[in-house]
């Protein structure tokens, strides 16, 4: 249906590469691909990636377009956002969301601006992220959904947006949470960060105004790995 992005990096365990597009009320199309993790339950489905990207851009999910495979929990997402099937993927005049921000002069200022996009009906706890690639920066904010388990942290919104749009080569992730004394990725994000960007750094802008820099490898000593699961 449409160009598949980053096949090898997304469904490396099952080979079930799926792509989903969500059209927001703005008319913009948000692409999501399936992003698996060696810890299978941390897998981000294509529709989850697309919906969280849409919501985290201040948009409202309206319609879905699928490739030949159904994403996991399609019915749950359709019901939650009253999504309509978009039918055939539009071939012309497609306004595809490109998350790339090319130049950022002040990280903290941009992270603060991004927190206004956090979708936080449950926690009222904003988190923002800027994922640094060699082409620019991919923003992410935390997105909470009716089902607490199906939302995504800011880090994983940034990662899934980046991979879905074909960006890779991640150098660092910049994080901010105004209400955290010490902002630090949760355990699930550490597992995903370690798999996707093991040689990168995290730059943390804490709520108390201090800053610290860390190696992703230091966040998860003795992280889970197994040759058996590699394809
Ligand atoms: N959250 C993040 O976005 N990143 C983290 O590393 C920690 C937690 C979000 C998820 C949820 O929206 C809220 O913070 C409370 O858990």
């Amino acid at each position: 249906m449409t160009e598949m992005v980053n096949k090898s990096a997304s469904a490396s365990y099952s080979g079930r590469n799926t792509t989903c597009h969500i059209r927001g009320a703005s008319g913009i199309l948000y692409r999501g691909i399936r992003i698996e993790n060696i810890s299978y339950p941390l897998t981000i489905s294509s529709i989850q990636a697309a919906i969280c990207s849409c919501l985290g851009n201040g948009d409202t999910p309206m319609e879905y377009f699928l490739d030949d495979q159904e994403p996991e929990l399609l019915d749950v997402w359709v019901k939650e956002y009253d999504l309509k099937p978009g039918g055939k993927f539009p071939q012309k005049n497609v306004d595809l969301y490109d998350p790339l921000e090319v130049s950022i002069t002040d990280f903290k200022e941009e992270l603060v601006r991004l927190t206004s996009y956090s979708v936080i009906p449950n926690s009222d706890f904003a988190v923002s992220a800027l994922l640094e690639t060699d082409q620019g920066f991919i923003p992410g904010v935390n997105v909470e959904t009716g089902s607490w388990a199906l939302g995504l942290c800011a880090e994983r919104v940034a990662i899934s947006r980046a991979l879905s749009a074909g960006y890779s080569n991640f150098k660092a992730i910049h994080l901010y949470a105004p209400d955290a004394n010490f902002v630090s990725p949760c355990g699930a994000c550490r597992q995903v960060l370690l798999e996707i960007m093991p040689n990168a750094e995290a730059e943390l802008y804490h709520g108390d105004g201090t800053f610290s820099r860390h190696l992703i490898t230091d966040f998860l000593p003795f992280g889970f790995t197994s040759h058996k699961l590699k394809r």
Side-chain angles (χ1 to χ4, degrees):
M1 131 200 283
T2 178
E3 166 206 10
M4 289 283 191
V5 184
N6 236 340
K7 273 196 167 185
S8 55
S10 59
S12 5
Y13 300 100
S14 71
R16 279 180 53 201
N17 291 287
T18 62
T19 305
C20 170
H21 289 85
I22 290 290
R23 195 191 322 256
S26 68
I28 297 175
L29 275 167
Y30 299 84
R31 173 184 276 157
I33 62 168
R34 178 178 172 87
I35 299 162
E36 296 184 346
N37 188 273
I38 192 165
S39 178
Y40 288 3
L42 295 181
T43 293
I44 301 168
S45 83
S46 57
I47 193 165
Q48 182 183 25
I51 287 181
C52 289
S53 179
C54 172
L55 290 166
N57 195 37
D59 211 343
T60 307
M62 305 289 284
E63 274 181 313
Y64 64 94
F65 301 84
L66 307 178
D67 61 8
D68 42 355
Q69 291 196 60
E70 257 196 22
E72 281 173 23
L73 302 181
L74 175 64
D75 297 347
V76 173
W77 290 108
V78 165
K79 194 163 162 227
E80 169 91 16
Y81 294 102
D82 192 21
L83 300 175
K84 307 289 177 238
K88 202 165 159 4
F89 187 77
Q91 300 294 328
K92 286 191 197 147
N93 304 325
V94 175
D95 188 3
L96 198 59
Y97 173 63
D98 182 354
L100 192 70
E101 296 184 17
V102 178
S103 60
I104 289 174
T105 40
D106 185 327
F107 287 115
K108 176 74 184 285
E109 205 176 88
E110 180 58 5
L111 288 164
V112 170
R113 188 189 73 83
L114 284 172
T115 54
S116 65
Y117 287 85
S118 286
V119 181
I120 43 178
N122 305 318
S123 69
D124 197 25
F125 185 87
V127 185
S128 57
L130 281 166
L131 182 59
E132 189 170 339
T133 79
D134 43 15
Q135 286 162 276
F137 300 86
I138 312 293
V141 293
N142 52 332
V143 174
E144 296 173 1
T145 63
S147 160
W148 282 36
L150 293 180
L152 287 177
C153 293
E155 296 90 322
R156 282 178 281 163
V157 169
I159 287 171
S160 55
R161 272 179 172 167
L163 294 175
S164 298
Y167 299 107
S168 54
N169 258 331
F170 306 139
K171 311 250 171 277
I173 190 155
H174 305 255
L175 282 183
Y176 174 60
D179 295 329
N181 313 332
F182 187 93
V183 62
S184 170
C186 74
C189 286
R190 289 172 191 222
Q191 175 72 39
V192 173
L193 288 165
L194 189 68
E195 180 154 340
I196 305 276
M197 44 193 283
N199 302 316
E201 289 188 349
E203 317 237 326
L204 309 181
Y205 296 79
H206 307 294
D208 65 2
T210 58
F211 168 82
S212 59
R213 179 180 287 135
H214 310 263
L215 296 176
I216 296 294
T217 42
D218 286 342
F219 279 146
L220 197 63
F222 308 106
F224 173 59
T225 171
S226 168
H227 293 304
K228 173 164 187 311
L229 296 165
K230 290 264 184 305
R231 287 198 143 220

